[in-house]
Amino acid sequence: VLADTGGLVAFELAAEGREAAFAFLNALELCVKAPSLGDIYTLAIHPATSSHRELSPARRERLGVKENLIRLSCGIEHPDDVIRDLEQALEQI
């Protein structure tokens, strides 16, 4: 039975800069840090250094791809587990 789950979410951290983004990504325990999105696991990426790395900083800024932007591709884990992981990572930054 396939669950009707999944989705892509992007959010900017309240903390500015790449350092905060990587601190958040490194603090995740359940979510998998990934260079691209698309798996059964919940994946988290830093677009400025992955999917949009080839763009100039000015172009990334115009597109809204800031240094503190995180993209999350939700997998098939229980939503409460993903939420707990996101909350504990946010608390660490």
Side-chain angles (χ1 to χ4, degrees):
V1 175
L2 293 176
D4 184 18
T5 59
L8 183 65
V9 177
F11 54 93
E12 291 179 1
L13 301 170
E16 293 288 330
R18 185 178 292 193
E19 294 79 19
F22 277 95
F24 173 79
L25 289 170
N26 289 331
L28 292 171
E29 296 174 353
L30 173 72
C31 300
V32 178
K33 293 179 297 254
S36 66
L37 300 174
D39 203 323
I40 64 166
Y41 304 104
T42 296
L43 305 174
I45 69 166
H46 182 245
T49 58
S50 58
S51 60
H52 292 72
R53 70 185 171 279
E54 299 297 324
L55 301 178
S56 70
R59 177 133 168 89
R60 284 195 304 265
E61 184 72 25
R62 283 194 306 274
L63 293 172
V65 180
K66 298 179 181 178
E67 291 293 333
N68 62 335
L69 181 69
I70 302 293
R71 289 184 74 196
L72 191 73
S73 174
C74 298
I76 63 171
E77 301 92 349
H78 193 281
D80 291 341
D81 293 336
V82 175
I83 291 168
R84 269 192 297 278
D85 193 24
L86 296 173
E87 288 174 342
Q88 69 81 26
L90 286 169
E91 289 172 4
Q92 292 191 47
I93 63 167

